[in-house]
Amino acid sequence: MLHSDSFCLFFLLLSQSLAHVEAFIDFSEDELIEEGVLDQVDISVCDLQAEIKQHLKDERRGERLRSGVHVVIAGATNAGKSSLLNTLCQRPAAIVSPIAGTTRDVVETALDIGGFPVLLSDTAGLRDSPDVVEQEGVRRARERKPVCSEQDWSS
């Protein structure tokens, strides 16, 4: 099984890279993005790929990566979770709108990222809501919340 510290590092590197790519997509025309952002993402992803390959050399630790990784996109409402899912799977898998609370259920899609099987889950925005249907979506999102949290990354 993959060591949780390693998984958290992989998750952090991937999350940061995805955030930089998304920012580049959203803001590159306005020239608000530092020069070389995509070059840095490329370096980070190559480093991540090397780390993952190292783990795959150990038959037991690589087992989790070969069998698949479940990545949960969780966060506040209207933070771009569904847009990120759609961008990664290159199709409109999730409905995107400016209305907070659009995603009320878990939307999952299976991907192959660099030869590794990934199950990507978009979840309802984490907030208090008087709506019982949205409350159920938030409950399901909290059930699937990633193993790593921002507290894990800062240590």
Side-chain angles (χ1 to χ4, degrees), residues 14-138:
L14 184 59
S15 297
Q16 288 175 337
S17 295
L18 290 173
H20 287 295
V21 169
E22 189 173 70
F24 183 81
I25 291 168
D26 289 344
F27 302 111
S28 64
E29 291 179 6
D30 299 329
E31 298 182 22
L32 299 173
I33 299 296
E34 295 176 27
E35 194 172 315
V37 166
L38 291 182
D39 292 334
Q40 184 57 46
V41 168
D42 188 46
I43 291 167
S44 294
V45 170
C46 287
D47 290 346
L48 179 60
Q49 182 179 18
E51 289 287 330
I52 290 172
K53 283 182 179 181
Q54 195 64 18
H55 276 278
L56 289 174
K57 287 182 181 178
D58 179 333
E59 294 172 16
R60 297 291 298 160
R61 289 193 312 194
E63 185 176 330
R64 171 72 178 207
L65 290 176
R66 283 189 292 278
S67 64
V69 175
H70 188 183
V71 177
V72 177
I73 305 171
T77 56
N78 280 29
K81 298 179 300 296
S82 296
S83 296
L84 177 59
L85 175 87
N86 290 346
T87 299
L88 290 173
C89 69
Q90 300 177 355
R91 65 183 177 86
I95 297 171
V96 175
S97 87
I99 301 168
T102 300
T103 304
R104 292 177 170 219
D105 208 343
V106 178
V107 178
E108 294 184 326
T109 187
L111 301 174
D112 179 311
I113 299 180
F116 300 107
V118 175
L119 179 63
L120 196 58
S121 299
D122 178 26
T123 61
L126 302 176
R127 70 174 180 168
D128 292 327
S129 172
D131 184 291
V132 294
V133 176
E134 189 174 356
Q135 288 173 4
E136 177 61 18
V138 171

